Amino acid sequence: MIQAFAASLHAKRLLARALVALGALAASAHANAPLDIRIALVIGNSAYSGSAALANPANDAKAMSEQLRTLGFQVLELRDGSRSQMTEAIDDVRKRLQGKGGVGMLYYAGHGVQIDWRNYMVPVDARPRSQTEVVTQAIDVDSVINAFKQAGNRVNILVLDACRNNPFEGTASVKGLAQLDAVPGTFLAYATAPGNIAEDGEGSNGLYTTYLLQELAKPTARIEDVFKRVRLQVRQKSRGNQIPWESTSLEDDFVFNDGRGVGTAVAAAPTPKPPPQERDEMFVREKAQWDRIKHSRDPDDFYAFLQAYPNGMVSEAAQSRLDQISKPQVTPTPVQGRHSTQRNPRVGDEIEYIYRDYLTGLETRRETLRVTAIKDGFVEINNGQQIVTLAGGTVRNDMGIEFDPPLQTLPADEFQIGKRWTSRSQQTMPKSLPTPTGGVGWIEQEMKVTAYEQITVLAGTMNAYRVEASLRTYRGLSGKITYWVNNGGLIVKYVRQAKISFPNGVTRDSSWTREVVRIHKPR
């Protein structure tokens, strides 16, 4: 019986080892399987009739096709496409992507127009004389988005270098293209800000595509970094007259040039978040560069910083400073039904807040903030007790805590659904607030704009952007915050759910809410 039991135990062990080996083999096969199918539709329309002809889009399409093929994309290339050819190409891409959970991409260069907040690509055989004829003769960009959705793609990328002058007089409701929210799993990129136009370019490629081709060739760059760098270079080259625009709803990282090359597509793993020590070291490096340029008045210093750290922990503060000393010459039109956020504080403005305990809802204090001075991009409140930047960065808060660089609670540029940014700052505690962990350390917030909605506070009912964020500090404070920002760039409601963990293992709740009671602007 003992021998039988031993034999049975040995068999079970062999079976367990076999199962482990099979599991490892399966995991290895999954990691190397050609799951990340990449297919791009590239269209470049130049050969329009008469004065509508363009010099560069066909060249842009050829160069983009060559570049994407080196990055593991299957490319369907169409130059000088008619409406029927463009329609067939869109359907062909959908069929090739169907059910593969892959990556679908559209790159379009040529004429584009917007009609009633919808964007249209113009085929070379279109001859529209009215808005109605644009709808029947052009290709709605939504048709591509819908094709990608029907295919069930993991990632969708649409790049529209289609913001040139509209040669079809009287056929568009507004110049340029309309701003859209990216649907889930989609990255949208325009050659310039919505509602604005871009030049065709002086070389063999358009200005936007020239820099995009350069950035795509760089290894291991995340998609957000690629387009942020393109935006900076186009803005710098055009002296602020052309500023590309992006909207994203991607939840996973995507890297164009991940070393796969042609025919070696593999499933791309999400980029893991760096461990705390590595993030600390990254911040130290960024902060050192920030300290070197933070008082500069040369825009090139901030362009260089943002090229090095396009989506870093100090990037929003650097972008804010760049916008201050080199004001953008274009402004994006908002999504239909929304208003642009206009941050326009004036001396004498007053905002009254009420604070409440989060758990009980009981009032804990009231606070009135009065703008007493505005100079060199900084807003002083209550004679300098608080200081913020014009772009929504906090330099000193109402508790006397100082932040360097400014803690960028608001995005440096326009609010748009899906925008994410991280802001880390060195905070210096006032002597009146002693802490067991020392008076100088870091604070980090990771923000995302999640909605545009109506909110009611004591000051009234208004439309506002909702921002959801995580919060961490060197003092052991951690939690989540949600706040709403109205069209004037004012935080009208703030909800903090957080706790402080002390070195001795004790934790203390640090949750509270704040909302606007009164807003007064002098005439």
Side-chain angles (χ1 to χ4, degrees), residues 40-161:
L41 171 58
V42 176
I43 303 174
N45 288 345
S46 287
Y48 296 97
S49 63
S51 62
L54 295 170
N56 290 326
N59 296 333
D60 292 339
K62 181 176 183 297
M64 185 60 64
S65 295
E66 292 172 353
Q67 182 64 270
L68 291 176
R69 288 189 181 102
T70 69
L71 302 177
F73 280 83
Q74 301 174 38
V75 178
L76 280 71
E77 182 181 351
L78 176 61
R79 283 181 262 170
D80 297 326
S82 66
R83 188 179 192 281
S84 61
Q85 289 173 327
M86 291 174 68
T87 301
E88 290 172 5
I90 293 168
D91 191 52
D92 189 5
V93 168
R94 178 189 60 78
K95 291 176 180 177
R96 295 187 186 210
L97 286 163
Q98 191 71 47
K100 294 183 171 65
V103 176
M105 178 172 175
L106 167 72
Y107 169 87
Y108 173 74
H111 281 303
V113 296
Q114 66 161 295
I115 306 292
D116 296 330
W117 300 92
R118 299 183 76 90
N119 294 321
Y120 294 86
M121 301 177 289
V122 182
V124 295
D125 61 347
R127 305 290 188 274
R129 292 167 295 181
S130 66
Q131 293 188 16
T132 301
E133 289 187 354
V134 169
V135 174
T136 58
Q137 295 182 23
I139 304 291
D140 192 335
V141 172
D142 275 357
S143 67
V144 181
I145 295 175
N146 290 333
F148 285 166
K149 286 169 60 178
Q150 291 171 18
N153 296 342
R154 180 176 66 86
V155 173
N156 301 311
I157 305 165
L158 285 86
V159 181
L160 302 176
D161 192 352

Side-chain angles (χ1 to χ4, degrees), residues 290-345:
W290 166 259
D291 288 342
R292 187 179 61 81
I293 67 169
K294 62 184 178 183
H295 298 302
S296 172
R297 302 215 44 103
D298 184 353
D300 288 345
D301 287 337
F302 295 93
Y303 279 119
F305 180 92
L306 289 165
Q307 283 291 331
Y309 306 104
N311 287 287
M313 291 177 275
V314 184
S315 297
E316 288 296 310
Q319 184 70 57
S320 170
R321 182 65 176 160
L322 173 61
D323 290 347
Q324 179 191 337
I325 62 178
S326 180
K327 188 176 177 61
Q329 300 302 303
V330 297
T331 302
T333 57
V335 172
Q336 183 181 16
R338 299 180 193 163
H339 296 283
S340 295
T341 301
Q342 302 292 333
R343 304 174 186 126
N344 187 30

